[in-house]
Amino acid sequence: MLSSISPELFNYIAITFGRFKWQLLAWSCFFFVLFIGLQSQIQLKTPSVLVWIAILILFIAIESLVVAAFMFFFGVLPSTREENIAWFKFYRTIEWCETILFTVLLPLPIILFLYAFIRLAI
């Protein structure tokens, strides 16, 4: 499975869902504003369900931001346009670094929310 992860695969996914990148960015901003609004309403007597809803909203905002960034980074691979071999290698190295980075970043907000839920709620 990990051997199939490549800049080309991420580029294909980003192109396929690229039309949603601005909507994801807008949703992310909306959820951040919603979280800030809810955070000001949370007091010591607030039911824990509402606190968890606010935390879930925050993690949805973070995940939306990460997915939108993914689509912006992998929308176009600069190495596909480069003919100079030195620049091609340079761009290719950057693309592989971005691939490794987003392989970790994409599932991270979901994993962190599940960890927080398991650690604090149970």
Side-chain angles (χ1 to χ4, degrees):
M1 173 70 183
L2 287 179
S3 63
S4 64
I5 293 176
S6 67
E8 288 79 16
L9 174 66
F10 282 2
N11 177 251
Y12 174 75
I13 294 169
I15 289 171
T16 303
F17 297 106
R19 63 184 176 274
F20 300 116
K21 64 185 169 189
W22 291 107
Q23 290 91 342
L24 278 170
L25 206 54
W27 277 107
S28 178
C29 291
F30 169 74
F31 281 123
F32 275 123
V33 170
L34 182 62
F35 173 74
I36 291 169
L38 286 175
Q39 183 183 14
S40 66
Q41 300 298 317
I42 294 176
Q43 304 296 326
L44 290 176
K45 298 180 220 174
T46 304
S48 62
V49 172
L50 295 178
V51 173
W52 279 108
I53 289 173
I55 292 171
L56 178 64
I57 288 171
L58 175 65
F59 280 99
I60 289 172
I62 293 169
E63 183 68 31
S64 299
L65 187 62
V66 169
V67 172
F70 167 81
M71 289 182 194
F72 278 103
F73 272 92
F74 286 99
V76 174
L77 294 178
S79 66
T80 59
R81 297 179 179 175
E82 192 57 52
E83 294 180 15
N84 184 340
I85 192 70
W87 282 108
F88 174 80
K89 288 180 181 181
F90 174 73
Y91 287 136
R92 198 68 182 155
T93 303
I94 291 174
E95 290 166 2
W96 272 104
C97 291
E98 290 172 353
T99 302
I100 293 166
L101 181 70
F102 276 102
T103 301
V104 173
L105 283 179
L106 283 171
L108 193 61
I110 296 166
I111 292 169
L112 288 175
F113 177 76
L114 292 175
Y115 173 76
F117 183 75
I118 291 169
R119 180 85 169 134
L120 299 175
I122 297 177

mmCIF file of all heavy atoms in Angstrom, residues 58-89:
data_model
loop_
_atom_site.group_PDB
_atom_site.id
_atom_site.type_symbol
_atom_site.label_atom_id
_atom_site.label_comp_id
_atom_site.label_asym_id
_atom_site.label_seq_id
_atom_site.Cartn_x
_atom_site.Cartn_y
_atom_site.Cartn_z
ATOM 1 N N LEU A 58 -13.966 22.007 15.765
ATOM 2 C CA LEU A 58 -12.590 22.455 15.581
ATOM 3 C C LEU A 58 -11.797 21.464 14.728
ATOM 4 O O LEU A 58 -11.089 21.866 13.799
ATOM 5 C CB LEU A 58 -11.901 22.635 16.938
ATOM 6 C CG LEU A 58 -10.416 22.989 16.881
ATOM 7 C CD1 LEU A 58 -10.215 24.351 16.234
ATOM 8 C CD2 LEU A 58 -9.821 22.952 18.274
ATOM 9 N N PHE A 59 -11.933 20.175 14.996
ATOM 10 C CA PHE A 59 -11.183 19.184 14.225
ATOM 11 C C PHE A 59 -11.696 19.075 12.790
ATOM 12 O O PHE A 59 -10.920 18.804 11.879
ATOM 13 C CB PHE A 59 -11.186 17.837 14.936
ATOM 14 C CG PHE A 59 -10.190 17.769 16.047
ATOM 15 C CD1 PHE A 59 -10.571 17.953 17.356
ATOM 16 C CD2 PHE A 59 -8.854 17.549 15.781
ATOM 17 C CE1 PHE A 59 -9.652 17.901 18.385
ATOM 18 C CE2 PHE A 59 -7.911 17.498 16.791
ATOM 19 C CZ PHE A 59 -8.317 17.673 18.103
ATOM 20 N N ILE A 60 -12.983 19.305 12.569
ATOM 21 C CA ILE A 60 -13.501 19.334 11.196
ATOM 22 C C ILE A 60 -12.908 20.524 10.449
ATOM 23 O O ILE A 60 -12.533 20.409 9.269
ATOM 24 C CB ILE A 60 -15.040 19.376 11.194
ATOM 25 C CG1 ILE A 60 -15.606 18.036 11.656
ATOM 26 C CG2 ILE A 60 -15.573 19.738 9.814
ATOM 27 C CD1 ILE A 60 -17.110 18.047 11.868
ATOM 28 N N ALA A 61 -12.789 21.661 11.130
ATOM 29 C CA ALA A 61 -12.178 22.839 10.505
ATOM 30 C C ALA A 61 -10.727 22.571 10.139
ATOM 31 O O ALA A 61 -10.278 22.911 9.034
ATOM 32 C CB ALA A 61 -12.277 24.033 11.449
ATOM 33 N N ILE A 62 -10.006 21.938 11.032
ATOM 34 C CA ILE A 62 -8.594 21.627 10.761
ATOM 35 C C ILE A 62 -8.480 20.636 9.613
ATOM 36 O O ILE A 62 -7.646 20.805 8.709
ATOM 37 C CB ILE A 62 -7.910 21.095 12.034
ATOM 38 C CG1 ILE A 62 -7.829 22.200 13.090
ATOM 39 C CG2 ILE A 62 -6.520 20.555 11.719
ATOM 40 C CD1 ILE A 62 -7.411 21.713 14.455
ATOM 41 N N GLU A 63 -9.318 19.607 9.612
ATOM 42 C CA GLU A 63 -9.273 18.610 8.535
ATOM 43 C C GLU A 63 -9.625 19.238 7.185
ATOM 44 O O GLU A 63 -8.984 18.953 6.170
ATOM 45 C CB GLU A 63 -10.214 17.449 8.841
ATOM 46 C CG GLU A 63 -10.172 16.337 7.823
ATOM 47 C CD GLU A 63 -8.865 15.577 7.814
ATOM 48 O OE1 GLU A 63 -8.209 15.460 8.867
ATOM 49 O OE2 GLU A 63 -8.492 15.087 6.728
ATOM 50 N N SER A 64 -10.623 20.102 7.158
ATOM 51 C CA SER A 64 -10.982 20.789 5.916
ATOM 52 C C SER A 64 -9.829 21.639 5.406
ATOM 53 O O SER A 64 -9.559 21.685 4.199
ATOM 54 C CB SER A 64 -12.213 21.675 6.131
ATOM 55 O OG SER A 64 -13.312 20.925 6.521
ATOM 56 N N LEU A 65 -9.141 22.309 6.313
ATOM 57 C CA LEU A 65 -7.994 23.133 5.934
ATOM 58 C C LEU A 65 -6.863 22.272 5.379
ATOM 59 O O LEU A 65 -6.245 22.615 4.370
ATOM 60 C CB LEU A 65 -7.514 23.935 7.142
ATOM 61 C CG LEU A 65 -6.436 24.965 6.891
ATOM 62 C CD1 LEU A 65 -6.927 26.042 5.931
ATOM 63 C CD2 LEU A 65 -6.009 25.582 8.210
ATOM 64 N N VAL A 66 -6.608 21.131 5.990
ATOM 65 C CA VAL A 66 -5.542 20.238 5.522
ATOM 66 C C VAL A 66 -5.880 19.675 4.136
ATOM 67 O O VAL A 66 -5.028 19.620 3.247
ATOM 68 C CB VAL A 66 -5.295 19.100 6.541
ATOM 69 C CG1 VAL A 66 -4.404 18.019 5.958
ATOM 70 C CG2 VAL A 66 -4.689 19.647 7.814
ATOM 71 N N VAL A 67 -7.127 19.271 3.942
ATOM 72 C CA VAL A 67 -7.527 18.720 2.631
ATOM 73 C C VAL A 67 -7.464 19.798 1.552
ATOM 74 O O VAL A 67 -7.017 19.539 0.429
ATOM 75 C CB VAL A 67 -8.927 18.071 2.716
ATOM 76 C CG1 VAL A 67 -9.427 17.669 1.341
ATOM 77 C CG2 VAL A 67 -8.889 16.856 3.631
ATOM 78 N N ALA A 68 -7.898 21.021 1.882
ATOM 79 C CA ALA A 68 -7.806 22.111 0.906
ATOM 80 C C ALA A 68 -6.345 22.407 0.571
ATOM 81 O O ALA A 68 -6.000 22.608 -0.609
ATOM 82 C CB ALA A 68 -8.497 23.359 1.446
ATOM 83 N N ALA A 69 -5.476 22.415 1.574
ATOM 84 C CA ALA A 69 -4.043 22.635 1.320
ATOM 85 C C ALA A 69 -3.481 21.520 0.446
ATOM 86 O O ALA A 69 -2.670 21.770 -0.452
ATOM 87 C CB ALA A 69 -3.285 22.713 2.641
ATOM 88 N N PHE A 70 -3.920 20.288 0.700
ATOM 89 C CA PHE A 70 -3.504 19.152 -0.122
ATOM 90 C C PHE A 70 -3.848 19.405 -1.590
ATOM 91 O O PHE A 70 -3.024 19.192 -2.479
ATOM 92 C CB PHE A 70 -4.197 17.885 0.381
ATOM 93 C CG PHE A 70 -4.106 16.716 -0.538
ATOM 94 C CD1 PHE A 70 -2.969 15.925 -0.564
ATOM 95 C CD2 PHE A 70 -5.164 16.401 -1.385
ATOM 96 C CE1 PHE A 70 -2.887 14.834 -1.420
ATOM 97 C CE2 PHE A 70 -5.084 15.316 -2.231
ATOM 98 C CZ PHE A 70 -3.943 14.533 -2.254
ATOM 99 N N MET A 71 -5.061 19.873 -1.834
ATOM 100 C CA MET A 71 -5.486 20.113 -3.216
ATOM 101 C C MET A 71 -4.707 21.251 -3.859
ATOM 102 O O MET A 71 -4.412 21.205 -5.058
ATOM 103 C CB MET A 71 -6.976 20.390 -3.250
ATOM 104 C CG MET A 71 -7.797 19.179 -2.956
ATOM 105 S SD MET A 71 -9.530 19.562 -3.079
ATOM 106 C CE MET A 71 -10.232 18.137 -2.301
ATOM 107 N N PHE A 72 -4.371 22.271 -3.080
ATOM 108 C CA PHE A 72 -3.571 23.359 -3.629
ATOM 109 C C PHE A 72 -2.142 22.905 -3.929
ATOM 110 O O PHE A 72 -1.583 23.283 -4.958
ATOM 111 C CB PHE A 72 -3.543 24.552 -2.658
ATOM 112 C CG PHE A 72 -4.759 25.428 -2.749
ATOM 113 C CD1 PHE A 72 -5.742 25.351 -1.785
ATOM 114 C CD2 PHE A 72 -4.917 26.317 -3.794
ATOM 115 C CE1 PHE A 72 -6.871 26.155 -1.852
ATOM 116 C CE2 PHE A 72 -6.037 27.124 -3.880
ATOM 117 C CZ PHE A 72 -7.012 27.049 -2.908
ATOM 118 N N PHE A 73 -1.550 22.113 -3.054
ATOM 119 C CA PHE A 73 -0.168 21.677 -3.250
ATOM 120 C C PHE A 73 -0.033 20.700 -4.413
ATOM 121 O O PHE A 73 0.961 20.730 -5.136
ATOM 122 C CB PHE A 73 0.374 21.009 -1.981
ATOM 123 C CG PHE A 73 0.980 21.969 -1.015
ATOM 124 C CD1 PHE A 73 0.218 22.533 -0.006
ATOM 125 C CD2 PHE A 73 2.321 22.305 -1.113
ATOM 126 C CE1 PHE A 73 0.778 23.423 0.891
ATOM 127 C CE2 PHE A 73 2.891 23.196 -0.215
ATOM 128 C CZ PHE A 73 2.117 23.756 0.788
ATOM 129 N N PHE A 74 -1.002 19.819 -4.584
ATOM 130 C CA PHE A 74 -0.864 18.772 -5.593
ATOM 131 C C PHE A 74 -1.704 19.015 -6.847
ATOM 132 O O PHE A 74 -1.841 18.120 -7.672
ATOM 133 C CB PHE A 74 -1.210 17.407 -4.989
ATOM 134 C CG PHE A 74 -0.136 16.892 -4.081
ATOM 135 C CD1 PHE A 74 -0.244 17.027 -2.710
ATOM 136 C CD2 PHE A 74 0.989 16.293 -4.603
ATOM 137 C CE1 PHE A 74 0.749 16.574 -1.870
ATOM 138 C CE2 PHE A 74 1.996 15.836 -3.773
ATOM 139 C CZ PHE A 74 1.872 15.979 -2.401
ATOM 140 N N GLY A 75 -2.240 20.204 -7.006
ATOM 141 C CA GLY A 75 -3.014 20.514 -8.207
ATOM 142 C C GLY A 75 -2.173 20.435 -9.468
ATOM 143 O O GLY A 75 -2.626 19.978 -10.511
ATOM 144 N N VAL A 76 -0.937 20.880 -9.368
ATOM 145 C CA VAL A 76 0.004 20.850 -10.491
ATOM 146 C C VAL A 76 1.352 20.382 -9.963
ATOM 147 O O VAL A 76 1.829 20.884 -8.946
ATOM 148 C CB VAL A 76 0.151 22.254 -11.128
ATOM 149 C CG1 VAL A 76 1.224 22.246 -12.198
ATOM 150 C CG2 VAL A 76 -1.165 22.744 -11.680
ATOM 151 N N LEU A 77 1.944 19.439 -10.636
ATOM 152 C CA LEU A 77 3.294 18.985 -10.277
ATOM 153 C C LEU A 77 4.303 19.748 -11.134
ATOM 154 O O LEU A 77 4.329 19.578 -12.357
ATOM 155 C CB LEU A 77 3.445 17.487 -10.510
ATOM 156 C CG LEU A 77 2.608 16.566 -9.635
ATOM 157 C CD1 LEU A 77 2.847 15.119 -10.021
ATOM 158 C CD2 LEU A 77 2.908 16.786 -8.175
ATOM 159 N N PRO A 78 5.127 20.593 -10.512
ATOM 160 C CA PRO A 78 6.087 21.376 -11.297
ATOM 161 C C PRO A 78 7.087 20.516 -12.074
ATOM 162 O O PRO A 78 7.585 20.932 -13.112
ATOM 163 C CB PRO A 78 6.819 22.222 -10.248
ATOM 164 C CG PRO A 78 5.954 22.215 -9.049
ATOM 165 C CD PRO A 78 5.165 20.942 -9.106
ATOM 166 N N SER A 79 7.372 19.327 -11.596
ATOM 167 C CA SER A 79 8.357 18.485 -12.285
ATOM 168 C C SER A 79 7.857 18.037 -13.657
ATOM 169 O O SER A 79 8.667 17.716 -14.524
ATOM 170 C CB SER A 79 8.708 17.267 -11.436
ATOM 171 O OG SER A 79 7.589 16.415 -11.298
ATOM 172 N N THR A 80 6.556 18.010 -13.858
ATOM 173 C CA THR A 80 6.036 17.579 -15.157
ATOM 174 C C THR A 80 6.258 18.637 -16.233
ATOM 175 O O THR A 80 6.218 18.315 -17.415
ATOM 176 C CB THR A 80 4.532 17.267 -15.070
ATOM 177 O OG1 THR A 80 3.831 18.438 -14.632
ATOM 178 C CG2 THR A 80 4.268 16.129 -14.118
ATOM 179 N N ARG A 81 6.515 19.867 -15.823
ATOM 180 C CA ARG A 81 6.717 20.954 -16.786
ATOM 181 C C ARG A 81 8.194 21.280 -17.020
ATOM 182 O O ARG A 81 8.510 22.088 -17.878
ATOM 183 C CB ARG A 81 6.023 22.220 -16.289
ATOM 184 C CG ARG A 81 4.543 22.090 -16.160
ATOM 185 C CD ARG A 81 3.969 23.365 -15.661
ATOM 186 N NE ARG A 81 2.517 23.277 -15.554
ATOM 187 C CZ ARG A 81 1.762 24.219 -15.061
ATOM 188 N NH1 ARG A 81 2.308 25.335 -14.633
ATOM 189 N NH2 ARG A 81 0.465 24.063 -14.999
ATOM 190 N N GLU A 82 9.060 20.688 -16.239
ATOM 191 C CA GLU A 82 10.479 21.040 -16.285
ATOM 192 C C GLU A 82 11.252 20.123 -17.228
ATOM 193 O O GLU A 82 11.097 18.914 -17.188
ATOM 194 C CB GLU A 82 11.068 20.960 -14.879
ATOM 195 C CG GLU A 82 12.430 21.554 -14.754
ATOM 196 C CD GLU A 82 12.477 23.003 -15.190
ATOM 197 O OE1 GLU A 82 11.663 23.815 -14.713
ATOM 198 O OE2 GLU A 82 13.343 23.314 -16.039
ATOM 199 N N GLU A 83 12.101 20.734 -18.062
ATOM 200 C CA GLU A 83 12.915 19.965 -18.989
ATOM 201 C C GLU A 83 14.379 19.890 -18.551
ATOM 202 O O GLU A 83 15.088 18.955 -18.919
ATOM 203 C CB GLU A 83 12.830 20.568 -20.387
ATOM 204 C CG GLU A 83 11.436 20.440 -20.974
ATOM 205 C CD GLU A 83 11.339 21.046 -22.358
ATOM 206 O OE1 GLU A 83 12.391 21.299 -22.979
ATOM 207 O OE2 GLU A 83 10.211 21.258 -22.804
ATOM 208 N N ASN A 84 14.814 20.847 -17.746
ATOM 209 C CA ASN A 84 16.179 20.841 -17.223
ATOM 210 C C ASN A 84 16.268 19.759 -16.145
ATOM 211 O O ASN A 84 15.496 19.742 -15.198
ATOM 212 C CB ASN A 84 16.506 22.214 -16.647
ATOM 213 C CG ASN A 84 17.932 22.324 -16.177
ATOM 214 O OD1 ASN A 84 18.604 21.323 -15.921
ATOM 215 N ND2 ASN A 84 18.399 23.563 -16.049
ATOM 216 N N ILE A 85 17.221 18.859 -16.266
ATOM 217 C CA ILE A 85 17.316 17.701 -15.376
ATOM 218 C C ILE A 85 17.612 18.111 -13.931
ATOM 219 O O ILE A 85 17.106 17.490 -12.995
ATOM 220 C CB ILE A 85 18.361 16.673 -15.897
ATOM 221 C CG1 ILE A 85 18.236 15.345 -15.142
ATOM 222 C CG2 ILE A 85 19.754 17.227 -15.799
ATOM 223 C CD1 ILE A 85 17.003 14.581 -15.459
ATOM 224 N N ALA A 86 18.404 19.166 -13.738
ATOM 225 C CA ALA A 86 18.718 19.614 -12.375
ATOM 226 C C ALA A 86 17.460 20.144 -11.680
ATOM 227 O O ALA A 86 17.198 19.817 -10.519
ATOM 228 C CB ALA A 86 19.804 20.686 -12.404
ATOM 229 N N TRP A 87 16.710 20.961 -12.387
ATOM 230 C CA TRP A 87 15.467 21.485 -11.808
ATOM 231 C C TRP A 87 14.434 20.383 -11.648
ATOM 232 O O TRP A 87 13.655 20.390 -10.689
ATOM 233 C CB TRP A 87 14.902 22.617 -12.666
ATOM 234 C CG TRP A 87 15.633 23.906 -12.454
ATOM 235 C CD1 TRP A 87 16.493 24.504 -13.329
ATOM 236 C CD2 TRP A 87 15.591 24.732 -11.297
ATOM 237 N NE1 TRP A 87 16.987 25.654 -12.778
ATOM 238 C CE2 TRP A 87 16.443 25.821 -11.529
ATOM 239 C CE3 TRP A 87 14.922 24.652 -10.082
ATOM 240 C CZ2 TRP A 87 16.631 26.831 -10.597
ATOM 241 C CZ3 TRP A 87 15.113 25.666 -9.153
ATOM 242 C CH2 TRP A 87 15.962 26.733 -9.410
ATOM 243 N N PHE A 88 14.423 19.440 -12.568
ATOM 244 C CA PHE A 88 13.498 18.308 -12.442
ATOM 245 C C PHE A 88 13.762 17.539 -11.152
ATOM 246 O O PHE A 88 12.842 17.216 -10.407
ATOM 247 C CB PHE A 88 13.633 17.376 -13.654
ATOM 248 C CG PHE A 88 12.831 16.108 -13.532
ATOM 249 C CD1 PHE A 88 11.470 16.116 -13.798
ATOM 250 C CD2 PHE A 88 13.430 14.923 -13.128
ATOM 251 C CE1 PHE A 88 10.721 14.956 -13.674
ATOM 252 C CE2 PHE A 88 12.692 13.755 -13.001
ATOM 253 C CZ PHE A 88 11.334 13.777 -13.281
ATOM 254 N N LYS A 89 15.028 17.248 -10.874
ATOM 255 C CA LYS A 89 15.380 16.524 -9.645
ATOM 256 C C LYS A 89 15.020 17.343 -8.403
ATOM 257 O O LYS A 89 14.540 16.791 -7.413
ATOM 258 C CB LYS A 89 16.867 16.183 -9.635
ATOM 259 C CG LYS A 89 17.248 15.100 -10.604
ATOM 260 C CD LYS A 89 18.728 14.806 -10.533
ATOM 261 C CE LYS A 89 19.111 13.738 -11.527
ATOM 262 N NZ LYS A 89 20.545 13.428 -11.461
#
